[in-house]
Every structure is written in structure tokens, then in C-alpha cells.
Amino acid sequence: MKYSKQREMIFRAVQSMKTHPTADEIYTVLRAKHPNISLGTVYRNLNVLSEMGKIKKIRISSGSDRFDFRVDDHYHMICQACGEVIDIEIPELDPVLKRLESEGFDITELNLNLRGICNKCRRKKEEAI
Ligand code: ZN
Ligand code: MN
């Protein structure tokens, strides 16, 4: 299979997964249909696609990188119990970013991850007590 074809296929897989998958999860989905694809190819193309700005790479200090089909400005809450990655919008941050840019800092990347316990897991915990 051609490089461009593979990249397109991996791009479409990320588009179809709304759960902020890891490279391994994307590989597992693709392998079901395309048994010849390698994990290395998936990794490499995910990195190329994120460098191209077609997908977003979310670096997670406590585990594997996740990949996001959304490339517009948004942030993430990561549940340390179930691992779910939840999108959050923080429009209140916009004026702060604008101010920093007006002060001369050209922001090229912004990662903001909050780690904690999601609503579902918090409720489960409370019920268990
Ligand atoms: Zn959770
Ligand atoms: Mn997201």
C-alpha cells in the first residue's frame, strides 16, 4: 500500500474514534480490516499527521499519548480512575492568551490537561461508601 493511502486510512480512523484513542487502540481497529499494517506505521503516521496539524496529539504524563480528531482550541480533563479524556472549553482563557501574544510571546502550542476523577467515577466511589 502507498504511503499516502495508509496515512489517509489512519487519518480516517482517528476521525471516526471520538474517544481520544492511543496509537495502540487505533492500530487494533485498523488491523481488523488491514492485517498487514504495522504498529510502527501507525505510530509514524500519527506523528506526521499531528505535525501537519490534521489531528492533535495529547501528551499525557502518566501514560501513552492520545490522539484527537478535534484540532480547534480546547482542553482536556483526564480521569485517573477510568482513563476517560473529556473535552473542555475555557473561553475565559482567550483574553489571557491574547494578552500574552500582545506582550510579544507567539504561542504555537498549548496543552492543558487537568487530572482528576470524573463525575461517573466519583459517584461510583460515593455509592461504594
Ligand atoms: Zn472516570
Ligand atoms: Mn479533545
Side-chain angles (χ1 to χ4, degrees):
M1 208 186 295
K2 273 194 185 162
Y3 271 180
S4 54
K5 264 255 154 69
Q6 279 184 334
R7 187 168 303 154
E8 182 61 29
M9 191 174 82
I10 291 162
F11 176 63
R12 266 186 278 122
V14 176
Q15 293 289 313
S16 71
M17 298 170 82
K18 314 295 188 203
T19 51
H20 304 91
T22 63
D24 281 305
E25 288 166 345
I26 296 161
Y27 169 63
T28 302
V29 164
L30 284 170
R31 199 186 41 188
K33 259 196 181 172
H34 310 274
N36 292 327
I37 199 159
S38 75
L39 181 58
T41 299
V42 173
Y43 265 109
R44 199 170 46 248
N45 280 289
L46 287 170
N47 283 316
V48 171
L49 285 164
S50 70
E51 275 158 28
M52 290 165 75
K54 296 191 77 174
I55 60 174
K56 200 181 262 189
K57 182 181 188 166
I58 310 164
R59 290 182 188 83
I60 295 183
S61 54
S62 57
S64 311
D65 294 336
R66 307 283 203 113
F67 293 89
D68 197 343
F69 74 100
R70 272 187 68 181
V71 291
D72 60 311
D73 285 340
H74 70 287
Y75 313 101
H76 296 101
M77 298 193 292
I78 301 162
C79 178
Q80 58 201 56
C82 69
E84 196 184 343
V85 178
I86 303 156
D87 286 336
I88 44 172
E89 326 284 329
I90 314 180
E92 294 87 345
L93 204 52
D94 292 350
V96 177
L97 302 178
K98 279 211 185 84
R99 178 171 58 78
L100 294 175
E101 291 213 311
S102 75
E103 287 171 4
F105 189 79
D106 191 11
I107 300 163
T108 54
E109 190 183 331
L110 173 57
N111 291 309
L112 177 57
N113 296 335
L114 308 178
R115 256 161 62 79
I117 306 291
C118 77
N119 244 321
K120 259 184 280 165
C121 290
R122 204 173 39 80
R123 269 199 230 109
K124 241 186 266 166
K125 232 178 164 181
E126 283 168 3
E127 279 163 20
I129 294 169

